[in-house]
Amino acid sequence: MKIYLRSMNRSIEVSKEEHDNYYRDINAYRRTQQNHGRCTCPKADYRYCDMDCWTCKYHRAGDTVSLDCPKTNEEGDEESMLDKMVDEAADTAAIAADQLLLEALIKRMDELAPGIFHAFELRQDGLSDTEIAQELDIPRTTLLSRMKKVTTILTEEFF
């Protein structure tokens, strides 16, 4: 039995087991593509199939439709999938604005109390105030007063 390697433009001799293993996935994929009208490969050319449909001369659009292709809905109106898509531009702008705000907050935190951002990160990670104070090598009361001071000032300045 032979396997055709389109990339090398040649056939190689293999055992039946190797042949079956090689073409098992290819045949399943080709059948799926044919069921959807995307492959029009004649049976005589099945041996040339390598699942690279985009470069195959038998590739067709089939039941794949464009996002702007109109379809009729239940009310009888024509609409496209493009009409149903959410405009993410507003979300992107909001994310960018949030990122800028976060950077400004972190910078201001560092100006008010150097290293305090790390303390807030440790608290977010679930460490107790005592553990955070030990890690930063400062008294717990000092840590709490700095955190309160920074929180109060940032709330006044940014919110």
Side-chain angles (χ1 to χ4, degrees):
M1 303 203 91
K2 291 184 178 184
I3 292 176
Y4 179 74
L5 302 174
R6 188 166 63 159
S7 61
M8 297 171 60
N9 196 24
R10 60 179 262 212
S11 295
I12 59 171
E13 196 70 37
V14 295
S15 69
K16 178 166 177 28
E17 182 181 344
E18 291 172 323
H19 178 274
D20 293 345
N21 287 337
Y22 181 79
Y23 281 109
R24 181 178 295 113
D25 291 337
I26 291 174
N27 290 336
Y29 182 77
R30 188 188 61 257
R31 282 190 299 272
T32 301
Q33 298 305 309
Q34 288 172 331
N35 289 340
H36 290 279
R38 295 188 288 258
C39 177
T40 59
C41 184
K43 191 169 187 165
D45 289 342
Y46 283 179
R47 66 181 177 275
Y48 299 122
C49 183
D50 63 355
M51 295 194 306
D52 186 7
C53 294
W54 295 106
T55 61
C56 181
K57 64 183 177 181
Y58 299 114
H59 177 72
R60 302 292 179 267
D63 60 3
T64 304
V65 294
S66 174
L67 289 175
D68 60 353
C69 180
K71 291 201 171 214
T72 306
N73 63 16
E74 296 86 32
E75 291 96 38
D77 299 326
E78 281 194 352
E79 63 183 2
S80 69
M81 291 301 291
L82 206 52
D83 298 332
K84 294 182 178 184
M85 289 182 68
V86 177
D87 182 15
E88 295 180 9
D91 293 339
T92 304
I95 290 170
D98 289 346
Q99 180 68 31
L100 291 172
L101 176 62
L102 180 62
E103 289 171 4
L105 281 167
I106 292 170
K107 181 180 178 192
R108 184 66 175 128
M109 284 175 95
D110 197 41
E111 290 170 359
L112 294 170
I116 199 69
F117 180 71
H118 182 60
F120 281 102
E121 285 180 315
L122 293 173
R123 184 183 267 181
Q124 185 70 30
D125 291 340
L127 269 66
S128 69
D129 293 336
T130 305
E131 293 169 323
I132 296 169
Q134 287 173 349
E135 178 150 336
L136 298 177
D137 198 30
I138 58 174
R140 182 178 168 275
T141 54
T142 304
L143 170 72
L144 293 176
S145 68
R146 287 180 187 172
M147 290 176 99
K148 183 176 180 181
K149 173 186 166 193
V150 167
T151 303
T152 303
I153 293 172
L154 291 178
T155 301
E156 291 172 6
E157 290 181 3
F158 287 90
F159 301 104

